[in-house]
Amino acid sequence: MTHHLPRRDAFKLAGGALAGAWLLTGCGGSGGGSSAIDYWGAFPTPETEEYFRTHFIDTFNESSERQVKMTTKQLTNLASQTDTAVSSGNAPDIIYSPGPTTTVSYAQGNRTIPLDDYADQYGWNDRLLPWAQQLSRVEDAMQSVPTSYGSLVMYYNRAVFEENGWTPPTTKAEFEALCEDADSKGIIPVGAGNSGYPAQSEWYLSCVLNAAVGPQNLYEILTGDRDWNDAAVVDALETMKSQIDKGWWGGGAERWFTNTDPDMCTGIANGDVAMYMSGTWSFSSMGTFFTDSGNDPQDWDWAPLPSLAEGVEPGVFPMAIGTALSISSDSSDPDTAAAFLDHLVGDTSRSLGYLAEQGENPPPVAYGADDFPEGIDPRAQRLYEEIPASDNIGYASWTFLPPQTNTALYTEFDGVITGDMSPSAYADFLKTSFEQELGAGGLPTPFTPQ
C-alpha cells in the first residue's frame, strides 16, 4: 500500500509555508489490557502540540475513567508506521488515515470496526455534514470519523486587485480577461509549480477539473458512469495546456518545475502573481509571506473558484478530508476510543478554538456565526460558514481517487506540461488506470452532488 502525507504536511516538510496540520496515528500495543488507549500525535510546532495536549488530551482524561496516552512522533514517519502497525497486527486503538482511500483498505481488511452504533450514541450522523458522513462509509457501514477538512480556493492580493481595477473572476470569460491583462503587465496570471513536491500539480488539476468539468460530471466519472477521457475532461485539459503555453500558469512550462509553493505565495504578496489556486491549509501561513516581504498581511484574501466552462456553476468548493480516524478491530477498549473520537468532533467551541489559535482545520460539521470565538481571522470564519451553506461542492483528487490513479494524475501530467504527452493521451491513461482500480474495488464512496 502506498501512502502519502496529507498535502499540506508534505508541502511543509518540503520547505513550504508553515501550514498548520495535525495528524493522529498509533503504533503498537493497543491490546493486552493496557490502562490507556494508545494514540500518537505529530504537530508542525511545539506550540500546536502543547495546545492540542492541553485542550484535547488533558480535557478528555480529566473527564474519563480510562485515559488516552499520546506520544509525539515525526510527521514524516506517521503514514508508514501506521501501515506497518496495522499490517503486523499491532495497530493502535485509534487508527489514523490521511483520507478515505486508506480507510477503505483498512476496513476491507477487517482492521477496523463499524461505528454505526457509536454514531447513533453520539449523534455523529446529525453533526457531520452529509457529504462527510457519506464519505465515511464503507460497504454501507460507517468506518471512520473525519476530524479535519478543507478545500481549494483562489488566493489574491486585495491591494493589487484594487490598483489594477480587478475583481475576483466568477466566469471563464472574466478569468481569461484578467489573465490577459495581468500577462500584459508582466504579472504571472496564475501561480503554479511543483519544485520539491511533485504532487503539488494535483492542487491545480483538482481546481481545474472541478471548475471546468463540474461536480456532477466528476461524480459520474468517480462512480464509473462516465469515462476519464470524456470530452469535458479533454477540453478542460487542452484549455489548461494552452494557457500554460501562454505563460499564464506559473510563467510557463519552463518555470513549472522550478517554482515552489512559497515562491507563488510570495508572488501574491509582492504583486508578481495575480491569482493562486491552492488549499485552505495556507490560511494560517499566508500572512507570513506578506509580512516577510514588507506587505500588509491584511491584504491577502480568498475567493471561491471561478467557473471555467459553460454550464458549470461558479464557486465550487472541492472537498478534502485531512484526517480520518477509525477504531482498531484489536482495540481492548473500543468504547473509550469512541468516546475520544467524540471528544475530537463533538465540541464546537473546542474545534473552533483550535482553528482560531493554531490555524488547524476543524471537523466537517455545520458552524453558525455565533459559534466562532472572538478574535478568529474573519477570512477563516467566512470559509467555514460558506461551505456548509453551499450546494456547490466538489471533489479533491487525493480524497476521492484510488491511490494509483491519484499518483498518475500528477506524475503523468508532467508530460502534458512538457508537450511529451497530449491531453487526450493523458486522459486515456487515467481512464485505463481508474478502470483497473474500479474493477478491483476498494474505492472511496463519493458523495452525491448536492
Side-chain angles (χ1 to χ4, degrees):
M1 182 182 299
T2 300
H3 287 282
H4 301 283
L5 283 173
R7 269 53 193 164
R8 54 184 179 175
D9 297 312
F11 154 62
K12 174 183 178 294
L13 294 169
L18 297 177
W22 61 275
L23 306 174
L24 313 175
T25 187
C27 185
S30 66
S34 172
S35 61
I37 61 171
D38 289 327
Y39 171 90
W40 282 5
F43 306 88
T45 67
E47 292 77 17
T48 303
E49 176 189 345
E50 181 60 29
Y51 188 96
F52 183 83
R53 189 179 294 277
T54 299
H55 291 84
F56 290 90
I57 300 296
D58 292 349
T59 54
F60 178 82
N61 288 342
E62 290 167 0
S63 63
S64 174
E65 293 182 2
R66 286 292 301 272
Q67 305 290 285
V68 172
K69 177 184 177 183
M70 184 178 81
T71 303
T72 303
K73 297 294 182 180
Q74 295 296 316
L75 285 169
T76 50
N77 299 328
L78 284 173
S80 60
Q81 287 184 335
T82 301
D83 195 29
T84 299
V86 172
S87 299
S88 65
N90 283 320
D93 295 271
I94 296 174
I95 297 177
Y96 157 79
S97 295
T101 301
T102 308
T103 298
V104 171
S105 298
Y106 290 155
Q108 291 190 327
N110 297 317
R111 304 294 190 176
T112 60
I113 65 172
L115 302 177
D116 295 280
D117 289 343
Y118 292 121
D120 291 338
Q121 177 182 347
Y122 292 111
W124 294 337
N125 291 329
D126 295 327
R127 284 192 58 80
L128 293 174
L129 296 175
W131 67 266
Q133 181 190 144
Q134 188 172 348
L135 191 56
S136 300
R137 306 189 72 79
V138 179
E139 296 178 357
D140 204 33
M142 187 177 191
Q143 292 284 351
S144 65
V145 175
T147 59
S148 71
Y149 85 108
S151 187
L152 291 152
V153 297
M154 190 198 78
Y155 291 94
Y156 67 100
N157 186 323
R158 284 191 295 232
V160 171
F161 266 50
E162 290 174 5
E163 179 182 344
N164 288 280
W166 299 333
T167 57
T170 61
T171 66
K172 180 181 179 182
E174 292 172 355
F175 173 77
E176 292 179 343
L178 199 158
C179 288
E180 288 177 352
D181 192 26
D183 187 50
S184 71
K185 296 174 179 178
I187 299 172
I188 294 175
V190 189
N194 68 355
S195 179
Y197 183 47
Q200 200 169 309
S201 294
E202 71 176 322
W203 304 351
Y204 320 129
L205 286 165
S206 286
C207 290
V208 168
L209 291 173
N210 278 274
V213 179
Q216 180 61 50
N217 286 341
L218 283 179
Y219 173 75
E220 293 175 11
I221 290 171
L222 292 169
T223 55
D225 292 333
R226 187 183 291 264
D227 291 331
W228 269 103
N229 59 0
D230 184 87
V233 175
V234 175
D235 287 347
L237 295 170
E238 288 178 343
T239 298
M240 186 178 182
K241 168 59 174 170
S242 69
Q243 293 174 352
I244 293 172
D245 291 343
K246 292 178 182 178
W248 287 7
W249 289 79
E254 291 184 358
R255 296 184 57 179
W256 190 287
F257 302 105
T258 60
N259 290 336
T260 67
D261 184 271
D263 292 337
M264 299 301 97
C265 293
T266 300
I268 289 288
N270 288 334
D272 297 328
V273 174
M275 300 172 284
Y276 187 39
M277 298 182 188
S278 184
T280 54
W281 52 77
S282 290
F283 275 21
S284 62
S285 60
M286 186 63 72
T288 302
F289 292 100
F290 279 69
T291 301
D292 289 350
S293 57
N295 295 285
D296 188 348
Q298 296 304 312
D299 279 344
W300 79 263
D301 207 345
W302 67 271
L305 301 176
S307 169
L308 296 179
E310 293 293 332
V312 176
E313 182 182 352
V316 60
F317 288 105
M319 293 292 95
I321 294 295
T323 302
L325 302 179
S326 304
I327 298 177
S328 170
S329 56
D330 295 325
S331 174
S332 62
D333 190 355
D335 290 348
T336 298
F340 183 63
L341 293 184
D342 186 63
H343 194 71
L344 295 177
V345 302
D347 188 306
T348 296
S349 62
R350 189 160 45 236
S351 298
L352 294 180
Y354 201 27
L355 171 66
E357 297 296 329
Q358 299 296 320
E360 296 302 288
N361 290 346
V365 303
Y367 301 106
D370 295 337
D371 294 328
F372 292 88
E374 185 176 350
I376 192 171
D377 190 321
R379 293 164 292 196
Q381 177 173 339
R382 176 160 54 93
L383 176 81
Y384 288 107
E385 286 182 330
E386 287 192 14
I387 289 178
S390 176
D391 60 1
N392 189 14
I393 57 177
Y395 310 89
S397 60
W398 59 92
T399 296
F400 293 93
L401 284 180
Q404 300 305 317
T405 304
N406 186 58
T407 299
L409 184 78
Y410 60 85
T411 57
E412 298 301 318
F413 189 67
D414 285 355
V416 177
I417 297 170
T418 61
D420 293 330
M421 178 182 285
S422 69
S424 60
Y426 169 72
D428 288 340
F429 189 94
L430 294 179
K431 175 180 181 293
T432 299
S433 176
F434 183 79
E435 286 179 346
Q436 291 174 347
E437 292 188 281
L438 182 65
L443 276 66
T445 302
F447 58 83
T448 52
Q450 298 186 4

